[in-house]
Amino acid sequence: MAKQRVLSGVQPTGNLHLGNYLGAIRNWVQGQSEYDNFFCVVDLHAITVPHDPATLAENTYKIAALYLACGIDLNYSSIFVQSHLPAHSELTWLLNCITPLNWLQDMIQFKEKAVKQGENVNTGLLDYPVLMAADILLYQADKVPVGEDQKQHLELTRDIAVRFNHLFGNGKKVLKLPDPLIRSEGARVMSLTDGTKKMSKSDPSELSRINLLDSPEEIQKKIKRCKTDPVRGLSLDDPERPESRNLLTLYMLLSGKTKEEVAAECADMGWGQFKPLLTETMINALKPIQEKYYAVMNEKGYLESVLREGKEKAGAIANQTLAEVKAAMGYSQPL
């Protein structure tokens, strides 16, 4: 029986941080043997906000190398770059033409980011969810690993697929409806400077996040200065103590200990005792990822071969889906 297919990706906008790793990539790694996986670097998504052309390509290779460093296994998974396959852009246009504008205007992330961009808000930011839908539907994905903040976009993807099949399927499901693959534990890693906000690459403060490539000195500095509360004894379950819950969750996930073990170990600790413990645990957890990352980056030919092979495998599926979509919509075959 064929394995179900999984599709996911990360934008090449700066370094990956612990939120990307614990909320997404580590889950990909742990479950990858169960699925037929396609993991892309979504560089087309990266330009919906102002970006630096001088670093886009470099960051794209960095993310691909970090995929490998975090444990993506090429025996189970393919890694490719979104923009290397024109089918993503072409299917986006075709889906744009059947997607009602109000569906996009109702997206929570668009509303939030549009406020930040003000009068300079671009069409790409509004259209981001259709590009995401095209990414997923091109590969006829069965499962999409998403955080809680992306569930609305996946629901839109399903709505677009239903609408397309209704309009052009003639009773057939041309596009498969994907299901979310959500792991609740660690799915939302919060900021080190505000335990009520998600850890984010877009936060202007570097102190708000631990990047996967941070040095031991940087990690120590950030943990030492991270926000805490004045209460003695640490708790994982108190909703009135978001920083305590966030930092203990990080310790639990990086140490491999159970929730009960962490609760018992840290119940009587003060922050002065806990922070060095978290720092040491974090440094030790990230060390093998960093070592493998630099090994991969020093073998550029290897990384390029991985991306070429990934492009070929992804392209075979994507181009077939695109051809089926165009045929269903009435386009003539290319001469």
Side-chain angles (χ1 to χ4, degrees):
M1 186 176 177
K3 291 182 178 179
Q4 289 191 316
R5 185 172 295 147
V6 164
L7 183 284
S8 197
V10 172
Q11 292 188 37
T13 48
N15 288 324
L16 294 183
H17 53 68
L18 273 180
N20 302 129
Y21 176 60
L22 296 174
I25 298 174
R26 195 170 80 156
N27 295 339
W28 301 353
V29 170
Q30 291 174 342
Q32 64 184 321
S33 63
E34 302 173 35
Y35 301 102
D36 177 25
N37 307 282
F38 287 85
F39 299 123
C40 56
V41 184
V42 288
D43 53 343
L44 294 175
H45 287 287
I47 65 170
T48 60
V49 294
H51 78 287
D52 183 358
T55 61
L56 180 60
E58 178 186 355
N59 286 340
T60 298
Y61 279 100
K62 280 185 177 180
I63 299 302
L66 278 167
Y67 283 176
L68 292 167
C70 289
I72 296 299
D73 189 334
L74 299 178
N75 291 312
Y76 307 114
S77 308
S78 298
I79 300 172
F80 67 98
V81 177
Q82 181 190 33
S83 68
H84 292 180
L85 290 167
H88 288 258
S89 299
E90 187 170 356
L91 183 59
T92 299
W93 173 252
L94 299 176
L95 297 181
N96 274 339
C97 295
I98 68 160
T99 303
L101 182 60
N102 65 293
W103 287 9
L104 303 180
Q105 292 171 328
D106 287 340
M107 292 290 105
I108 294 171
Q109 284 203 5
F110 169 71
K111 292 178 181 178
E112 292 175 347
K113 293 182 179 180
V115 170
K116 295 179 182 179
Q117 291 194 15
E119 293 182 359
N120 294 319
V121 62
N122 61 65
T123 306
L125 186 64
L126 177 69
D127 203 35
Y128 174 110
V130 183
L131 176 58
M132 180 176 169
D135 297 337
I136 296 166
L137 298 174
L138 268 177
Y139 299 94
Q140 306 286 11
D142 298 286
K143 303 282 186 182
V144 181
V146 291
E148 291 292 334
D149 59 328
Q150 290 288 339
K151 281 185 70 176
Q152 189 184 31
H153 286 166
L154 187 59
E155 290 165 1
L156 177 74
T157 298
R158 290 172 58 88
D159 289 341
I160 290 173
V162 168
R163 186 175 176 87
F164 183 92
N165 291 336
H166 173 71
L167 292 173
F168 303 110
N170 291 321
K172 294 193 307 179
K173 288 187 177 180
V174 180
L175 297 174
K176 181 179 288 188
L177 274 63
D179 291 316
L181 190 61
I182 297 175
R183 179 177 172 177
S184 58
E185 188 176 271
R188 278 179 71 86
V189 175
M190 312 309 281
S191 167
L192 297 181
T193 55
D194 184 346
T196 65
K197 294 182 179 178
K198 188 179 176 185
M199 188 177 287
S200 171
K201 288 186 282 187
S202 62
D203 192 310
S205 173
E206 275 290 327
L207 294 174
S208 68
R209 57 189 168 270
I210 300 291
N211 298 313
L212 295 190
L213 298 179
D214 278 349
S215 68
E217 293 75 21
E218 289 171 319
I219 293 171
Q220 184 179 34
K221 174 186 174 183
K222 290 179 179 181
I223 296 301
K224 190 174 183 179
R225 297 177 64 178
C226 70
K227 184 179 179 183
T228 57
D229 57 40
V231 182
R232 174 78 188 183
L234 308 182
S235 171
L236 260 168
D237 294 319
D238 189 343
E240 301 298 319
R241 302 182 65 191
E243 284 77 26
S244 177
R245 180 169 55 186
N246 184 43
L247 295 177
L248 264 68
T249 297
L250 286 176
Y251 177 58
M252 176 181 70
L253 294 171
L254 293 172
S255 67
K257 295 181 179 180
T258 65
K259 183 176 181 179
E260 292 72 24
E261 288 172 335
V262 170
E265 180 183 4
C266 302
D268 298 321
M269 280 189 183
W271 291 113
Q273 185 180 358
F274 176 73
K275 282 187 174 183
L277 176 64
L278 177 60
T279 299
E280 181 183 8
T281 302
M282 200 172 283
I283 291 170
N284 290 336
L286 294 183
K287 184 178 179 180
I289 293 174
Q290 294 177 355
E291 289 176 346
K292 186 167 183 181
Y293 166 80
Y294 290 113
V296 170
M297 289 299 285
N298 287 332
E299 293 286 342
K300 192 173 182 182
Y302 168 69
L303 183 57
E304 290 175 344
S305 70
V306 168
L307 293 177
R308 276 196 299 270
E309 184 176 341
K311 175 188 173 183
E312 290 175 5
K313 289 183 178 179
I317 298 169
N319 291 329
Q320 179 181 340
T321 300
L322 181 62
E324 292 172 357
V325 165
K326 293 177 75 173
M329 295 181 78
Y331 283 94
S332 61
Q333 293 295 317
L335 300 175

